C-alpha cells in the first residue's frame, strides 16, 4: 500500500493541510474544485448575505448534487458498456456461426467440385467409348 501524503492547500483564502493516500496533485485538484464552487456561489445574489452555516450547507448540497449527477452518469455509461458487451458477444457468436457455415459450404463445394470432375472424366470416357463403337 502506498504511503500517506500530506499537502498544504488553499481553500477560501485559508491554508489547510490535507492528508491522504492520493497524490498531491489530486489533493490540490480537490481544493481547486471547492474553490471553484465557492466562486460560483459568490457570484449569486444573496449568497454573501447568508450565514456561515447556510453557506456551508449550500456548498455541501451543491457538492452532493454534483456527486449524484456524476454517479448517475457513471451508471449510465456502465449500462451502455454492458449493452455493448452483450452486442459484442452476440456479434462474435454470429461470426463464429457464420464461419462454421462458410467452412461447411466450402467443404460441400469441394466435394461437389470433386464429384463434377469425376462426372467430367466419366463423360470423356463414355464419349471415347461411343466414338470407338461408332468407328466399328
Amino acid at each position: 500500500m502506498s504511503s500517506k501524503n500530506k499537502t498544504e492547500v488553499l481553500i477560501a483564502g485559508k491554508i489547510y493541510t490535507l492528508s491522504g493516500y492520493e497524490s498531491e496533485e489530486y489533493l490540490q485538484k480537490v481544493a481547486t474544485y471547492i474553490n471553484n464552487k465557492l466562486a460560483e456561489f459568490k457570484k449569486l445574489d444573496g449568497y454573501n448575505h447568508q450565514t456561515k452555516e447556510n453557506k456551508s450547507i449550500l456548498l455541501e448540497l451543491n457538492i452532493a448534487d454534483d456527486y449524484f449527477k456524476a454517479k448517475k452518469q457513471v451508471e449510465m455509461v456502465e449500462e451502455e458498456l454492458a449493452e455493448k458487451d452483450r452486442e459484442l458477444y452476440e456479434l462474435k457468436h454470429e461470426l463464429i456461426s457464420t464461419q462454421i457455415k462458410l467452412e461447411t459450404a466450402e467443404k460441400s463445394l469441394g466435394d461437389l467440385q470433386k464429384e463434377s470432375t469425376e462426372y467430367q472424366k466419366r463423360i470423356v470416357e463414355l464419349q471415347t467409348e461411343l466414338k470407338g463403337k461408332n468407328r466399328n
Side-chain angles (χ1 to χ4, degrees):
M1 185 157 83
S2 59
S3 61
K4 245 184 177 181
N5 294 314
K6 283 186 179 181
T7 187
E8 288 186 347
V9 298
L10 184 64
I11 299 175
K14 291 184 179 180
I15 295 176
Y16 295 91
T17 301
L18 298 182
S19 178
Y21 293 103
E22 295 82 4
S23 68
E24 179 179 341
E25 180 182 89
Y26 176 81
L27 296 173
Q28 290 292 343
K29 191 174 180 178
V30 169
T32 300
Y33 173 79
I34 298 295
N35 284 323
N36 289 338
K37 284 293 172 189
L38 289 170
E40 282 178 32
F41 281 125
K42 287 179 182 178
K43 291 178 186 176
L44 299 175
D45 291 337
Y47 175 77
N48 290 324
H49 302 295
Q50 297 292 321
T51 66
K52 191 173 185 177
E53 183 181 351
N54 281 350
K55 288 178 182 179
S56 180
I57 292 294
L58 287 171
L59 179 64
E60 292 165 1
L61 287 170
N62 196 272
I63 291 170
D65 179 54
D66 287 350
Y67 166 77
F68 285 110
K69 285 177 180 173
K71 185 177 177 184
K72 179 69 175 171
Q73 190 173 11
V74 166
E75 289 169 358
M76 289 171 55
V77 168
E78 286 174 344
E79 286 175 17
E80 285 179 26
L81 181 59
E83 179 61 28
K84 296 294 181 195
D85 283 346
R86 282 189 293 276
E87 288 175 13
L88 182 60
Y89 175 80
E90 290 171 7
L91 286 171
K92 284 180 180 180
H93 181 71
E94 188 177 325
L95 176 62
I96 290 169
S97 212
T98 303
Q99 285 175 328
I100 290 170
K101 288 177 185 175
L102 177 61
E103 289 172 5
T104 301
E106 286 174 341
K107 185 181 180 311
S108 293
L109 178 62
D111 293 345
L112 289 171
Q113 286 174 333
K114 286 179 187 175
E115 192 176 330
S116 174
T117 302
E118 291 300 318
Y119 283 135
Q120 287 173 354
K121 286 180 187 177
R122 182 69 180 135
I123 289 171
V124 170
E125 288 173 1
L126 290 172
Q127 286 174 338
T128 305
E129 193 178 306
L130 186 60
K131 286 180 185 177
K133 287 184 180 180
N134 286 341
R135 288 186 188 160
N136 290 340

